[in-house]
Amino acid sequence: MTPVKVDLKNLSPDALVEFLAGMGKEKFRAGQIMRWIYQRGVTDFAEMTDLAKTFRDELGERSYVSKFTPAAVEVSADGTRKFLFRLDDGKSIETVLIPMEGERNTLCISTQVGCAMQCSFCLTGSYGLERNLTAAEIVNQVCAVREAHAVDNIVLMGMGEPLHNLDNVVDALHILYASTGFDYGPRKVTLSTSGLVPEMCELGRRIKVNLAVSLNATTDDVRNELMPVNRRYPIKALMEACRTFPLAPRQRITFEYILIQGVNDSQADARRLVKLLHGIKAKVNLIPFNEHAGSEYRKPTDAAMRAFQTYLLDRQIVAVRRAGKGQDISAACGQLKGKLEKTL
Ligand code: SAH
Ligand code: SF4
């Protein structure tokens, strides 16, 4: 029986050290191999010329290095690029590169195929969960895009609920952070969650990362309607978890708030939001609901959006209005998967 080969991109730096120890190899070999894989994009052991030939052969017998090539790329008028990747089992995921002000590029990556959380406003949610991505599949989105573009920041805000796939997400973050990997500082990476409270606490214990919370409502009634996860972890429990989440000095939690006309965009909502955020180091991202065929919800008026923002700003809460980027290629968050898939 031939043993199943290990994809080295599935191994966190520590796991790689352990894997190599099993072959009788020294710890520093892990760093050497990681540099080849992540910093030089090499997938063929034959090219890893600072390793002995016998070692390379042995590696090839036990392992391999996977790689993504985009099946399609769409470029939006505003410069947003959407990459479609086909996975080994035929499923597909999307990754979006968003050029930000000051020429910083933010890459939005997926953590699952589909999502189990069923938020009523989200197109991804309507597909249900197909499966978790492996650590390799999470990291490969970054590897593939970095071959052609600078990536300054990374957000785990594509398809899926990252905290539903915590182990693989944490392994992937360790690879992104490793000095022999991509060497991103934890402040360059943001994980967004719909609010799985126990996993948020677990995340805080396990690794450093910026936290974004998709709040989207200020009463349990409305949040239950928008985000079924709220029935398990209501707003009070969620805010309590935010209060105890470990933050570095000057670090804040980002609260994402999609404004939906007549649902959560009133001045009363703004007032309740200020109360909820009391005592939390927070900043708020206000996002206009992105209309799509699968939903009756409507985007807010510009006036409502501005009034909401002004209410927060007047009370010393940092609040930014986010223009939905890449709308012409349906690359806006929550619109991933769909259009391209049907045409391929
Ligand atoms: N599952 C995590 C990770 C990102 S989900 C979470 O919910 O936080 C995808 C992101 O797209 C979320 O920030 C969500 O609020 C946003 N989104 C989903 N549907 C949207 C829509 N129709 N308009 C605007 N934003 C949307
Ligand atoms: Fe899942 Fe996030 Fe969409 Fe909710 S908003 S269904 S958690 S991807």
Side-chain angles (χ1 to χ4, degrees):
M1 198 184 84
T2 43
V4 183
K5 289 187 185 183
V6 175
D7 181 355
L8 295 188
K9 282 184 174 168
N10 264 326
L11 302 183
S12 68
D14 286 349
L16 180 60
V17 169
E18 209 175 302
F19 173 80
L20 294 172
M23 296 168 67
K25 299 297 174 191
E26 312 89 320
K27 196 172 166 182
F28 77 93
R29 297 289 178 197
Q32 268 180 313
I33 292 170
M34 285 191 57
R35 277 188 206 97
W36 282 112
I37 295 176
Y38 299 109
Q39 298 180 357
R40 290 172 233 172
V42 167
T43 56
D44 182 350
F45 295 120
E47 288 177 43
M48 303 185 182
T49 46
D50 54 0
L51 308 179
K53 170 90 169 61
T54 49
F55 180 25
R56 293 186 326 234
D57 291 345
E58 216 183 320
L59 274 173
E61 281 159 24
R62 296 170 189 236
S63 63
Y64 68 103
V65 182
S66 63
K67 185 186 171 96
F68 275 6
T69 312
V73 184
E74 268 194 288
V75 186
S76 156
D78 65 18
T80 301
R81 281 185 155 72
K82 182 164 73 168
F83 302 84
L84 181 89
F85 298 109
R86 234 321 144 241
L87 308 177
D88 284 347
D89 59 1
K91 299 185 190 303
S92 56
I93 53 165
E94 290 174 350
T95 306
V96 181
L97 185 68
I98 308 152
M100 301 289 237
E101 301 76 33
E103 289 176 38
R104 294 213 173 285
N105 283 334
T106 295
L107 188 66
C108 177
I109 62 177
S110 296
T111 56
Q112 297 183 309
V113 185
C115 181
M117 307 309 291
Q118 305 208 301
C119 301
S120 61
F121 52 82
C122 175
L123 199 59
T124 303
S126 67
Y127 290 93
L129 176 65
E130 294 195 45
R131 69 169 172 84
N132 281 336
L133 295 186
T134 63
E137 287 166 336
I138 297 169
V139 165
N140 266 328
Q141 298 169 62
V142 182
C143 296
V145 173
R146 277 177 56 118
E147 283 204 357
H149 306 275
V151 175
D152 302 293
N153 301 297
I154 296 174
V155 294
L156 283 70
M157 242 180 240
M159 240 190 279
E161 168 49 56
L163 295 187
H164 235 171
N165 187 14
L166 187 59
D167 289 341
N168 295 345
V169 163
V170 168
D171 283 347
L173 291 178
H174 279 302
I175 294 170
L176 296 179
Y177 293 169
S179 58
T180 51
F182 287 132
D183 205 15
Y184 284 106
R187 303 296 293 270
K188 299 275 182 194
V189 183
T190 301
L191 182 153
S192 176
T193 181
S194 57
L196 289 171
V197 165
E199 287 83 357
M200 275 168 64
C201 302
E202 176 72 19
L203 176 76
R205 283 191 290 270
R206 282 171 66 172
I207 199 162
K208 286 195 181 115
V209 67
N210 292 313
L211 184 67
V213 173
S214 293
L215 186 59
N216 300 331
T218 59
T219 66
D220 282 323
D221 277 351
V222 174
R223 197 161 190 272
N224 287 344
E225 192 71 25
L226 295 177
M227 307 182 74
V229 66
N230 196 69
R231 296 170 193 275
R232 262 193 293 160
Y233 307 113
I235 292 177
K236 193 164 181 288
L238 177 59
M239 300 318 282
E240 191 50 40
C242 291
R243 258 175 250 283
T244 53
F245 191 80
L247 294 176
R250 291 197 305 279
Q251 191 178 17
R252 295 164 194 264
I253 296 179
T254 302
F255 289 87
E256 292 161 277
Y257 196 100
I258 301 175
L259 288 153
I260 305 172
Q261 192 176 133
V263 174
N264 62 4
D265 64 344
S266 68
Q267 288 287 290
D269 282 299
R271 188 169 358 102
R272 283 189 293 265
L273 182 55
V274 171
K275 282 214 180 108
L276 286 175
L277 296 181
H278 186 76
I280 300 181
K281 290 204 284 174
K283 63 182 171 199
V284 178
N285 276 351
L286 298 172
I287 308 151
F289 174 69
N290 206 340
E291 298 182 2
H292 53 89
S295 174
E296 306 272 281
Y297 295 135
R298 289 291 158 252
K299 64 171 187 271
T301 63
D302 280 348
M305 199 144 162
R306 254 192 292 273
F308 202 100
Q309 182 192 27
T310 303
Y311 189 93
L312 300 180
L313 290 176
D314 285 349
R315 282 143 193 94
Q316 282 70 51
I317 292 177
V318 182
V320 180
R321 279 185 289 137
R322 293 268 177 233
K325 293 224 179 193
Q327 301 212 345
D328 52 332
I329 56 168
S330 353
C333 290
Q335 308 262 294
L336 301 185
K337 195 174 159 105
K339 197 176 98 190
L340 261 177
E341 195 158 52
K342 291 187 199 98
T343 61
L344 279 168

